[in-house]
Amino acid sequence: MRRAHSFSRLLSLCLLLPAALALVPDWTPPLSTQGRFVVDAAGKRFKLKSANWHGSSGTWNGSGDVNDDANSHSNENSHNIALGLQYVAIDDMLDSFEALGINSIRLPFSNEMIHDTNPIPDDFVAANPQLKGKTPLQVYDAVVAALTARRFAVILNNHTNKSRWCCGIADGNERWNESQSEDAWIADWVSMVKRYKDNKRVVGADLYNEVRRDILDDPNWGVYDAHDWYLAAHHAGDRILTEANPDVLIVIEGINWFGIPVDGFAHGRPTLSGAKTLSHTLVQPDKLVYSAHFYAYTGPNHSGATGVGETSDPRYRDLSKSDLFAVYNSSAAFVSLSAESHFIHPLWLSEIGVQGGGNTDDASKNWWFNTLEFIKTYDVDYAFWPLVGFSDSGNGWALQAWNRPKPAGSAKATRAGILDVADWRRDSWLALVNATVSSPVPSNRWRMINLDHEDYVKSATILARGDWDSGARKGVCPDGLRLIGLSSGNPARGLCTDASGTAKWGANKDTETVWTDKYVTSDWAGGFTKYQCPDNAFLIGYALRGAKVSTVLCAKSDAALGKGTSRTVWFDRADARADGALGGDFATSQYKGQCARDEYAAGVAFTTAITKNGAPAALLCRK
């Protein structure tokens, strides 16, 4: 239960709070997704109005004494814990967070930090003596507990491998597996999510921050090599949901940078563009949030560098409002604005920010106003970077900036920040956090089955039962969805949905694997081999050996299914997709077949005749 504020704390908080803002409204965990929106357990919209409380991933620049403030970014030394705990009592900080009108915190950590067993020196938590003697991870625990006690939702963010400031080249943090193996990275994630499993207000796992090129290699989205961010995020997300906590949101950021930042060489910021043709389907289908980062000084093809690494490409601050909106939509926002598509998920702009005070250039101010207008126009979730800073650092970016009493703990720290009248961002910030928020509406689910590289079994039920076609590559829809489309490729991809379907899996979750024509009652695909589900069953999965259909997996319905209206949908020579190709292009450059939304797929036909490879060629669609 939310603890009561003392009168003095209420009074001090009221002095911080603009009249339109209040304490964090109550909400019911866990969170999930419904179409393009995040919702709570009561089905109510939970818009992520967030900020980044950095520090636990490190602020050290990478050279010199790590404990010397001069060697940290902007002279703001976090000592590998949430920034500010050396100088500010945590309750005072949380009061100021509530005043901002935010409801959630993105809380970065490094893999190095969670394995550091050395206690934090007392001086580094001088304003919070209750934290003395704790390791960095134990301090992180205390921060999580304090935030969630105030009803903030906490999204864990694996920001870096090493405890140092992000995000350069050759800093050891460019990829999830830059300074460690992918297996170690995933194991750390499973451990961290398990650690907070009983705290239901720890709602998300933001898998990795700003994946980018190192000196020699680019990350990619779907090449299926050691640098494939699409594949790594897919593996980590499913492992977290199956081994650690099925209730957490999985946040997958796009690719932040590829190529060589030199004019004449290919380079750019792909962001989430790869999801349009290759989206993620997780074993819990309503837990995926996509994310992206935008700053004024970077650009669609600009790294943000000055001097070495700077190119002639425009920065985001150089774009007109219409061009900026177009870039945001094409690179990221399409994932939440393209209804009835396999890639539709909430979009969280998990880092946006701009310097306050009086030294910000006009172009950056215009970028800020235009970006906030974009967020309000399209009702996008967001997170400001950073939440906390020091007022004497000259940085000026933080939402809340505190002075640093010297020595630490010798006096109570005072605060300045975005709510001050002198901060040019104030009015636009208040307009943002008070903007109208849309309510979720019922939404069909469409999910891609991708057998390009490996099994894609997304049913928690089927995963628990083991291998249903040993040696074959298998794809199964998530629980609650049915197979409605297939491609005729090598390997074939699938499309799953729950749209307008009367086909519902029975309570016992009974299935049958079919690899003969024993249930075929009519020749609905003459001259082709046909695998057909028994009566009152529908397709949820399929298996391939090479390109050839090996088996199909049928789910037995909880009620009688219609079969009076049956039709054959051929797609071996051209697309044949009903309902205007709802679900989007789930198999680029392949012919695709798809039943209508009010039909269920009851069978697959194929042939291994000369020039044919046994790939799916036709669907039996019924209602």
Side-chain angles (χ1 to χ4, degrees), residues 183 185-195 197 234-248 250 283-284 460 463:
D183 286 344
W185 172 67
I186 294 177
D188 278 351
W189 257 124
V190 170
S191 174
M192 284 292 280
V193 173
K194 279 184 176 179
R195 188 176 187 89
K197 182 177 182 180
H234 160 72
H235 288 163
D238 273 355
R239 288 275 303 277
I240 290 167
L241 292 170
T242 55
E243 297 178 28
N245 187 354
D247 288 335
V248 297
I250 302 297
V283 70
Q284 298 291 340
L463 281 172

Side-chain angles (χ1 to χ4, degrees), residues 76-130:
E76 295 182 341
N77 197 338
S78 71
H79 306 292
N80 300 335
I81 58 176
L83 188 69
L85 296 177
Q86 184 176 12
Y87 301 103
V88 190
I90 192 168
D91 277 339
D92 290 343
M93 300 180 83
L94 298 185
D95 286 347
S96 78
F97 300 169
E98 289 176 333
L100 292 167
I102 59 177
N103 60 17
S104 42
I105 303 293
R106 183 176 183 247
L107 196 62
F109 67 86
S110 72
N111 299 92
E112 184 178 359
M113 181 278 286
I114 65 178
H115 294 287
D116 185 355
T117 59
N118 296 307
I120 292 289
D122 290 354
D123 287 350
F124 300 165
V125 289
N128 291 276
Q130 74 278 15

Side-chain angles (χ1 to χ4, degrees), residues 13 61 66 106 117 138 149 154 166 181 218 231 258 284 301 362 380 416 437 509 526 537 543 578:
L13 183 56
N61 282 326
V66 70
R106 183 176 183 247
T117 59
Q138 289 169 337
V154 171
C166 173
S181 69
D218 284 319
L231 191 64
F258 85 98
Q284 298 291 340
N301 296 290
D362 288 342
V380 175
V437 175
K509 298 293 191 290

